Amino acid sequence: MATRSCSYAFLLLVAFQSAVMKGDTVRPPPQCRPVPASTLEKIEFVLNLIVYRAEIFLRSSVGRGINGISPGLVQGPVPIGATVAELDGEIRDIIEEFGLSGVGHIRAIVNVTEIKAPVARPQLNFSRQLFSDLIDVVLNGSALTPPFDVYGATTNFLFVAADASSLLQQYLLGIIPSVVGDAERRLVAGIALKVAAEFGVIRAQLYGRANSTVSPYKFTVANLTMLISQLVNQLAGCGVKDEGLMVPLQLGAENRTTSNVVPADVYSLASPRYERELLKILFGTGNATRPGGFFPSGFNGTLFRRIQTQGLS
Ligand SMILES: *[C@@H]1O[C@H](CO)[C@@H](O)[C@H](O)[C@H]1NC(C)=O
Ligand SMILES: *[C@@H]1O[C@H](CO)[C@@H](O)[C@H](O)[C@H]1NC(C)=O
Ligand SMILES: *[C@@H]1O[C@H](CO)[C@@H](O)[C@H](O)[C@H]1NC(C)=O
Ligand SMILES: *[C@@H]1O[C@H](CO)[C@@H](O)[C@H](O)[C@H]1NC(C)=O
Ligand SMILES: *[C@@H]1O[C@H](CO)[C@@H](O)[C@H](O)[C@H]1NC(C)=O
Ligand SMILES: *[C@@H]1O[C@H](CO)[C@@H](O)[C@H](O)[C@H]1NC(C)=O
Ligand SMILES: *[C@@H]1O[C@H](CO)[C@@H](O)[C@H](O)[C@H]1NC(C)=O
Ligand SMILES: *[C@@H]1O[C@H](CO)[C@@H](O)[C@H](O)[C@H]1NC(C)=O
């Protein structure tokens, strides 16, 4: 009996060691890891992303914001620059639905956690100029003529819709392993799976247009998607987590395909992103403590304030 339990212990030890060895042996640097925080602080942080996405989706599809759907749900400065976009009927339905699901997710957070309505809304900048400046950066600083108009065509808006969804999904994946509490885990996983499905729908729409040119320019949808993903990866500085719609075989699923409708790692797992990466990307500054871009006054909540105070740029 003693021998038996001893060998069990040995087997367990071996299993544990091989699990450790099979995992990522190279620990990512601190700026690519979660910032220590409570579950509530992480949910506060993710609210910034949910509000950001719901506001632009609703304002672009139906010309109303979150409070226009659910009065008093959010409070804070009115987003700058959003306007109804030229979307074809199918995409307008999709974007409106996904904007509305964001409102539901905020209500669910208010229901399950200590966070109360009205939820803090950060200053958001959705100005046409900001998007066109970003696309110029994506294209290595050569100014497009005419300037890229995010609200001017269905395809133009899809790039933004995909990125907003990707970032939210990546952060949710980043926090899932550390969320404490059954209700909180159900909440975060429920939001994450819904947003991941929505991200897939939007990527599939982009994939269907992959070889079309982005009118009136020469480059294709696949070209721009790839270039945007490169800029996002560069701003975040934590490796390749965003990818284009078509990839070399060795980056495709099981090295057997060049299609890349839904990006993932070598095991086809979704890639998480953490707080500092998100801030660097959404501020557009590559610096998590230097607000700008879509969040000119930074994020709301304790976790962002701590990142600033501690200078975790
Ligand atoms: C709100 O929370 C209660 C329990 O706290 C739960 O029964 C109910 O289903 C929740 N509703 C939503 C929409 O999350
Ligand atoms: C949230 O941030 C905005 C600036 O982005 C600020 O105006 C607002 O007061 C903040 N809300 C709270 C509750 O801190
Ligand atoms: C919003 O972005 C535009 C374009 O970059 C910029 O001119 C404007 O100052 C920004 N607004 C705020 C409040 O940051
Ligand atoms: C931008 O510049 C980088 C590095 O010089 C290059 O790899 C990339 O292909 C360029 N992109 C475009 C769209 O010209
Ligand atoms: C785009 O073109 C490539 C190369 O010709 C082709 O393999 C791919 O199927 C096309 N994709 C779409 C969505 O049309
Ligand atoms: C742009 O897209 C076309 C077709 O989708 C592809 O053949 C070409 O290689 C792409 N160019 C770059 C620079 O990615
Ligand atoms: C795919 O190719 C990479 C090298 O490019 C290799 O590391 C990986 O093991 C390959 N994956 C499969 C499933 O063959
Ligand atoms: C990030 O921005 C802050 C505030 O502007 C600055 O103090 C800090 O030095 C910057 N960090 C890096 C790495 O550039």
Side-chain angles (χ1 to χ4, degrees):
M1 209 53 209
T3 323
R4 216 177 121 156
S5 59
C6 187
S7 55
Y8 273 137
F10 175 72
L11 280 178
L12 270 176
L13 184 65
V14 169
F16 175 72
Q17 282 178 336
S18 61
V20 169
M21 281 179 336
K22 279 174 94 174
D24 264 339
T25 40
V26 189
R27 200 171 181 222
Q31 67 271 20
C32 303
R33 296 205 299 259
V35 177
S38 71
T39 292
L40 194 64
E41 288 171 334
K42 289 171 200 163
I43 294 178
E44 250 178 23
F45 192 92
V46 82
L47 265 171
N48 290 275
L49 304 169
I50 296 175
V51 166
Y52 159 79
R53 180 171 176 270
E55 288 288 2
I56 190 159
F57 278 24
L58 290 170
R59 287 168 192 272
S60 307
S61 60
V62 293
R64 305 202 270 167
I66 294 169
N67 281 341
I69 303 296
S70 183
L73 188 56
V74 293
Q75 184 174 50
V78 174
I80 295 161
T83 181
V84 177
E86 302 284 337
L87 302 176
D88 67 38
E90 181 191 355
I91 302 297
R92 189 179 306 282
D93 292 349
I94 290 175
I95 298 299
E96 178 186 3
E97 177 188 322
F98 296 174
L100 291 172
S101 75
V103 175
H105 294 161
I106 298 168
R107 290 196 308 107
I109 288 171
V110 167
N111 190 30
V112 171
T113 70
E114 288 160 33
I115 297 166
K116 294 196 171 43
V119 161
R121 176 175 57 196
Q123 178 69 67
L124 297 168
N125 193 348
F126 296 132
S127 103
R128 207 182 295 260
Q129 178 78 44
L130 179 58
F131 290 101
S132 95
D133 289 349
L134 272 172
I135 295 298
D136 287 347
V137 172
V138 160
L139 297 166
N140 278 350
S142 55
L144 281 177
T145 39
F148 181 86
D149 180 3
V150 64
Y151 302 112
T154 296
T155 304
N156 296 9
F157 190 79
L158 284 175
F159 294 109
V160 172
D163 264 47
S165 307
S166 163
L167 294 175
L168 173 55
Q169 176 220 217
Q170 289 173 326
Y171 183 64
L172 287 163
L173 176 59
I175 65 174
I176 281 176
S178 63
V179 165
V180 175
D182 287 352
E184 288 79 359
R185 260 201 308 278
R186 265 196 303 276
L187 170 73
V188 174
I191 297 173
L193 288 178
K194 179 72 164 83
V195 171
E198 295 177 0
F199 172 56
V201 166
I202 296 167
R203 282 283 290 207
Q205 290 289 340
L206 280 172
Y207 188 73
R209 295 163 167 79
N211 295 327
S212 313
T213 54
V214 180
S215 175
Y217 315 110
K218 295 257 183 325
F219 49 81
T220 64
V221 168
N223 295 149
L224 191 57
T225 307
M226 187 199 63
L227 293 171
I228 292 173
S229 71
Q230 287 175 353
L231 177 67
V232 169
N233 290 329
Q234 191 190 324
L235 284 170
C238 294
V240 176
K241 298 186 178 181
D242 281 42
E243 291 169 351
L245 296 162
M246 259 107 73
V247 290
L249 261 188
Q250 62 273 20
L251 292 181
E254 297 303 298
N255 296 352
R256 281 168 188 265
T257 179
T258 57
S259 78
N260 195 44
V261 182
V262 178
D265 73 6
V266 290
Y267 294 106
S268 287
L269 301 177
S271 303
R273 285 196 190 276
Y274 304 106
E275 291 82 14
R276 293 163 76 177
E277 297 173 71
L278 266 297
L279 297 169
K280 288 174 183 181
I281 296 164
L282 287 162
F283 293 171
T285 59
N287 179 333
T289 62
R290 203 166 100 228
F294 302 116
F295 290 83
S297 308
F299 272 30
N300 288 117
T302 327
L303 182 46
F304 174 62
R305 281 200 298 278
R306 196 158 67 243
I307 287 170
Q308 269 194 318
T309 317
Q310 297 183 356
L312 301 177
S313 54

